[in-house]
Amino acid sequence: MTARIRPDLDSIPAYVPGRSHPGAVKLASNETTAGPLPAASKAIAESVELANRYPDNQSGELRAALAEFLGVEPANIAVGCGSVALCQELVQITCAAPTDEVLFAWRSFEAYPIITQVANATAVTVPLAGDVHDLDAMAAAITDRTRLVFVCNPNNPSGTAVGRAELERFLDRVPAGVLVALDEAYYEYLRLPGDHPDGVELARSRPNVVVLRTFSKAYGLAGLRVGYAVGAPEVIAALLKVHITFSVSRVAQAAAIASLEARHELLDRTETVIAERDRIRAALLAAGYRVPPSESNFVWIVLGAAATEFAAASAEAGVVIRPFAGEGARVTAGDPHENDLFLRFATDPETVGRFVRAGV
């Protein structure tokens, strides 16, 4: 007889990371193709020498550096093992019963329904409107059972973003007792002109808003797993209570601090990625694909029922991308030669003839 395990775990889908394929170009996981900034690499090498010592469980030095960078107090900052760990901790601090609801758009970050069910809470989804968050519908879906709302902005996997004014209108409609998490994992790639949404600024006067950002994407530290939350001290104090002890390594903390100090180098790298992202989208649009405007480091191709078949054909052509069955495919902006390889496949007349009509 085996140990007794929660029976509902059988119904929880495992998180599916972007696939890898030997010899193929991988444009499936929204990683940066450039390695860590040179200063971060140096800090990583030096911190490894102290790997026999536990890391600072409170991430005090990193929290202080982030507080200075963002113009807040260290009490407003929590650090986690990637921002996804903080997402799960937010569910833990807000939901205590199966009737407690976590609200989010769909499709959005696929970890949201998983971490909600793991916490034994109830997921409530609101469909995207034209590949963008329908914030009016989300506000209308809030009930007296809603405990937490995730707004992924820019959204993964659609790449779309809502502006500051629309976010402010939404936040003003959310009851003060409901926590709103603005998931800004792709914030550094966001360039909305004239209406730039900065969650940290929006949260300054709203104690029920917490902002999530990460060093995994633009900073190139995906393999080290370090993200952070910015919010009211009461929310941060609660996150620290459910934080898994020593889960942010000494190496990750050192690399994040060094990356912050060298952040001006980061801006040049993000501009290069954005240029490639826009080049990919323009070529796909010219070929007839439906590709919404992206404010992230990837593009979303609407393919409907052909999504999985399109991704399989792309893999056969040497490029692994991320399909979402029945909906579309997400393609990370990689190096120019990698993007060229994908575009040769996607814009080939045979490929266009086979797949474009499916996504229109």
Side-chain angles (χ1 to χ4, degrees):
M1 181 177 179
T2 58
R4 186 172 297 169
I5 305 295
R6 279 173 51 184
D8 66 304
L9 291 182
D10 290 338
S11 65
I12 299 178
Y15 178 82
V16 181
R19 292 174 50 214
S20 294
H21 191 280
V25 168
K26 184 185 179 186
L27 300 179
S29 297
N30 301 344
E31 302 151 320
T32 60
T33 53
L37 296 172
S41 295
K42 182 173 184 291
I44 289 168
E46 292 174 351
S47 63
V48 166
E49 297 297 323
L50 293 172
N52 58 308
R53 303 293 187 184
Y54 284 111
D56 174 7
N57 189 50
Q58 299 292 316
S59 301
E61 188 177 353
L62 176 54
R63 291 171 68 198
L66 284 165
E68 181 179 359
F69 168 53
L70 298 167
V72 298
E73 296 298 321
N76 296 113
I77 304 282
V79 173
C81 186
S83 58
V84 67
L86 291 160
C87 288
Q88 182 160 332
E89 291 167 5
L90 285 170
V91 180
Q92 289 177 296
I93 68 171
T94 54
C95 297
T99 53
D100 291 340
E101 295 178 349
V102 178
L103 175 69
F104 47 89
W106 197 251
R107 175 173 290 277
S108 192
F109 184 32
E110 65 180 298
Y112 296 154
I114 297 172
I115 61 178
T116 300
Q117 193 171 347
V118 167
N120 204 27
T122 297
V124 177
T125 59
V126 175
L128 296 174
D131 306 307
V132 185
H133 275 71
D134 187 341
L135 293 182
D136 286 337
M138 290 184 70
I142 295 173
T143 70
D144 59 0
R145 297 181 299 278
T146 306
R147 300 292 177 263
L148 175 64
V149 180
F150 283 111
V151 178
C152 190
N153 198 46
N155 187 47
N156 175 17
S158 68
T160 55
V162 294
R164 179 183 179 118
E166 190 174 354
L167 264 181
E168 285 183 313
R169 287 193 297 271
F170 168 73
L171 294 173
D172 288 344
R173 293 178 62 184
V174 177
V178 175
L179 186 62
V180 179
L182 300 180
D183 188 346
E184 296 185 340
Y186 300 92
Y187 177 78
E188 289 82 4
Y189 299 106
L190 202 157
R191 297 292 189 276
L192 281 180
D195 194 21
H196 190 276
D198 182 335
V200 174
E201 292 304 315
L202 292 172
R204 290 187 192 277
S205 60
R206 294 176 171 86
N208 68 324
V209 175
V210 60
V211 182
L212 302 174
R213 292 183 184 172
T214 184
F215 287 91
S216 294
K217 307 302 179 186
Y219 285 92
L221 300 180
L224 293 183
R225 314 306 305 129
V226 55
Y228 60 97
V230 187
E234 297 78 11
V235 174
I236 299 304
L239 285 173
L240 294 176
K241 290 181 179 180
V242 299
H243 171 75
I244 296 177
T245 306
F246 301 130
S247 60
V248 183
S249 73
R250 177 184 294 274
V251 174
Q253 293 182 43
I257 292 167
S259 295
L260 276 180
E261 293 172 349
R263 60 185 173 271
H264 299 295
E265 297 177 51
L266 175 73
L267 296 178
D268 291 336
R269 299 196 341 174
T270 57
E271 292 298 339
T272 300
V273 172
I274 289 169
E276 283 298 298
R277 174 198 75 195
D278 292 346
R279 182 173 75 90
I280 295 169
R281 179 173 185 259
L284 291 171
L285 288 173
Y289 292 93
R290 178 182 157 199
V291 187
S294 175
E295 293 291 334
S296 58
N297 68 335
F298 56 85
V299 296
W300 172 246
I301 309 173
V302 181
L303 293 160
T308 302
E309 187 180 354
F310 179 86
S314 180
E316 289 177 8
V319 184
V320 177
I321 61 175
R322 181 64 181 275
F324 293 81
E327 298 176 64
R330 191 188 67 198
V331 184
T332 308
D335 288 335
H337 73 279
E338 297 174 326
N339 303 331
D340 288 342
L341 182 61
F342 170 72
L343 288 174
R344 278 198 295 274
F345 154 74
T347 62
D348 182 273
E350 182 179 345
T351 306
V352 171
R354 181 179 173 189
F355 293 108
V356 165
R357 188 174 299 277
V360 173

